[in-house]
């Protein structure tokens, strides 16, 4: 799927585990755009990219489930590390 349903599912999972979570939407520049994708979208900006925020250690922390392991492998990029404390 794409970022919005993934962010929704992640927020729901976090809430189920007792972690306050909310959805965020933002326009983001895609630094991994391929020439074909740029041609199709006519832009390197993804409008309304979905992400999740967790409330951890008295602050909101942005997380994104959009690029999972399989997608990172497909695009040959390393997944971002997240430990919930130093991010």
């Amino acid at each position: 799927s794409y970022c919005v349903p993934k962010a929704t599912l992640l927020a729901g999972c976090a809430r189920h585990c007792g972690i306050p979570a909310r959805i965020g939407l933002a326009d983001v520049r895609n630094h991994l755009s391929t020439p074909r994708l740029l041609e199709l979208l006519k832009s390197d900006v993804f409008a309304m990219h979905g992400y999740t925020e967790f409330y951890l250690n008295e602050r909101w922390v942005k997380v994104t489930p959009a690029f999972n392991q399989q997608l990172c492998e497909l695009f040959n990029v390393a997944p971002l590390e997240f430990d919930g404390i130093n991010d």
Side-chain angles (χ1 to χ4, degrees), residues 28-61:
V28 295
R29 193 163 310 281
N30 182 3
H31 65 282
L32 301 175
S33 292
T34 63
R36 182 167 184 264
L37 185 59
L38 289 171
E39 182 181 331
L40 287 171
L41 297 177
K42 309 290 189 236
S43 175
D44 66 345
V45 174
F46 284 157
M48 294 188 51
H49 167 68
Y51 62 91
T52 309
E53 288 186 311
F54 294 159
Y55 193 71
L56 300 172
N57 298 323
E58 306 297 322
R59 66 186 177 110
W60 287 99
V61 179

Side-chain angles (χ1 to χ4, degrees), residues 1-12 23 50 52 65:
S1 190
Y2 66 104
C3 57
V4 174
K6 287 180 179 181
T8 303
L9 179 61
L10 181 59
I23 302 300
T52 309

